[in-house]
Amino acid sequence: MRVLVTGKDGQVGRELAALPHTEFEMVMAGRGDCDLAREESIRSLVRRVAPDAIVNAAAYTAVDKAETEQDLCFAVNATAPGALAEEAARLGALLIHYSTDYVFDGTKGGPYVESDPVAPLNTYGASKEAGERAVAAANGRFLVLRTSWVYGSHGKNFLSTMLRLAQERPEIRVVDDQIGAPTSAGAIARATARLLRQYALPSTSVPSGIYHMTAGGSTSWCGFARAIFEARSAGANPQAVNPRILNPRVVAITSEEYPTPAKRPKNSRLSNDRFNLFFGFHMPQWQEQMAEVVAAVRQPNLVSFLRTPGERE
Ligand code: NDP
């Protein structure tokens, strides 16, 4: 089975590339192979590769910058997935596409389910919501997997930012009134491989639709930061490191005390019930995923990891 993966250099793309896919022929595409802002570039890539399945791990994820780059953000997050979905439908291939908790406004009292009305607060969320609709409109076989707060051992993300700040200051102020499920890129990649195994063959019936696929449990950004430092301290050699650097004081603040160009939802919790029921497995708890990533970055490549440039959701 040939699987075309876009966004090979992103957080999820790199984890997909690192999986042992003995049963898949993975064709990994990056920006150099296909510019997702150019529709003809997408169509010619898909026609050239002729995949059985496509995993679209590419996206415009610079949430704050999107407020001033709306056209580019919509081209990559809405038009491009639509073109991928049309090409997939033409081939009878399954498209797996990722979306986000940011399609919601965060005012619901409990976890969001797939049928809840969308109401994005920012350009990025609106573009991803438009992407979901474009994928569905192609009438092919597709899975839109909404996930949240993605981080991993590659690229710049919340975890890498916290570890970098811990080297620079004894106290870090972190937003405590946004609640969600930090989900590791590795866990997303492993779940994606499982879905491909189960549903990519044309002979299997594909339950096309939107599914919430986040880590189990939830926390605030502040809770996530504290847990990261605790996990790092727990595995560290106290003789080898400065304990203040490992464990800075994390001060809880409100979203209003940390203004950003793009507004974020306060409640980002997504219910995975539909995913669990349909696919028959659960995503691991966020603490378990975080411990795995902290262990992966603790040792050899920490310095280069901390220095990787970029801006992520
Ligand atoms: P990353 O930002 O880590 O990676 C995105 C990739 O898309 C990058 O490799 C980037 O290329 C590529 N890309 C961007 N623009 C283009 C373009 N015009 N042409 C070709 N490639 C392009 O994303 P994640 O791995 O974090 O996200 C994976 C999915 O999960 C996305 O759909 C995202 O919306 C969704 N998601 C992410 C969340 C998060 O917190 N990050 C939260 C919820 C959902 P390059 O490396 O060259 O810049």
Side-chain angles (χ1 to χ4, degrees):
M1 184 167 67
R2 186 177 303 153
V3 182
L4 171 63
V5 178
T6 62
K8 76 176 172 69
D9 299 311
Q11 301 192 87
V12 173
R14 287 181 71 148
E15 296 292 344
L16 284 164
L19 286 173
H21 293 293
T22 47
E23 75 271 52
F24 306 134
E25 181 198 339
M26 302 289 277
V27 180
M28 306 298 302
R31 202 182 277 271
D33 308 293
C34 169
D35 178 1
L36 289 174
R38 292 176 43 239
E39 216 178 307
E40 68 283 7
S41 168
I42 300 165
R43 294 189 190 275
S44 88
L45 173 75
V46 178
R47 288 175 193 190
R48 212 166 52 240
V49 175
D52 302 297
I54 300 173
V55 179
N56 182 27
Y60 181 109
T61 57
V63 176
D64 289 316
K65 209 168 159 198
E67 296 301 316
T68 50
E69 284 190 341
Q70 302 197 350
D71 289 351
L72 179 59
C73 180
F74 269 82
V76 176
N77 289 350
T79 311
L84 282 170
E86 283 171 13
E87 292 301 320
R90 208 176 55 83
L91 294 168
L94 172 70
L95 171 66
I96 295 186
H97 174 71
Y98 303 105
S99 192
T100 172
D101 52 304
Y102 283 13
V103 298
F104 296 117
D105 65 9
T107 55
K108 188 177 174 180
Y112 282 93
V113 295
E114 289 80 351
S115 54
D116 280 326
V118 293
L121 295 175
N122 56 46
T123 300
Y124 167 78
S127 72
K128 294 295 290 185
E129 192 273 324
E132 293 181 350
R133 280 188 283 111
V135 167
N139 283 320
R141 299 187 301 136
F142 71 90
L143 300 175
V144 168
L145 306 173
R146 282 189 191 139
T147 190
S148 64
W149 296 16
V150 179
Y151 68 100
S153 53
H154 304 290
K156 183 163 182 285
N157 52 56
F158 182 82
L159 184 137
S160 67
T161 301
M162 286 302 114
L163 296 180
R164 177 176 52 77
L165 290 178
Q167 293 185 320
E168 296 168 1
R169 46 182 94 156
E171 182 179 290
I172 305 175
R173 291 154 58 80
V174 188
V175 169
D176 197 33
D177 59 359
Q178 294 172 23
I179 309 293
T183 306
S184 80
I188 292 171
R190 286 191 292 274
T192 301
R194 216 163 150 171
L195 296 179
L196 281 172
R197 240 170 254 133
Q198 283 175 258
Y199 295 105
L201 290 174
S203 53
T204 59
S205 71
V206 179
S208 290
I210 297 177
Y211 295 86
H212 291 174
M213 189 184 83
T214 63
S218 62
T219 185
S220 68
W221 289 114
C222 184
F224 186 30
R226 287 183 175 138
I228 290 166
F229 296 128
E230 275 163 29
R232 245 177 79 68
S233 305
N237 172 3
Q239 257 94 59
V241 287
N242 176 344
R244 184 182 63 76
I245 286 175
L246 266 183
N247 226 337
R249 203 164 89 83
V250 177
V251 178
I253 60 168
T254 63
S255 303
E256 287 68 35
E257 291 176 275
Y258 187 74
T260 51
K263 208 170 164 202
R264 267 90 169 155
K266 294 222 167 139
N267 173 22
S268 274
R269 284 180 298 155
L270 305 182
S271 164
N272 285 347
D273 286 355
R274 184 163 190 250
F275 178 95
N276 298 341
L277 193 73
F278 219 99
F279 300 121
F281 68 98
H282 289 59
M283 294 285 281
Q285 292 292 305
W286 70 266
Q287 295 94 330
E288 198 184 317
Q289 298 185 20
M290 181 215 52
E292 184 188 75
V293 176
V294 168
V297 301
R298 187 186 289 126
Q299 289 303 335
N301 302 322
L302 183 58
V303 173
S304 61
F305 161 69
L306 292 171
R307 286 186 184 150
T308 308
E311 184 195 353
R312 296 291 187 269
E313 181 179 336

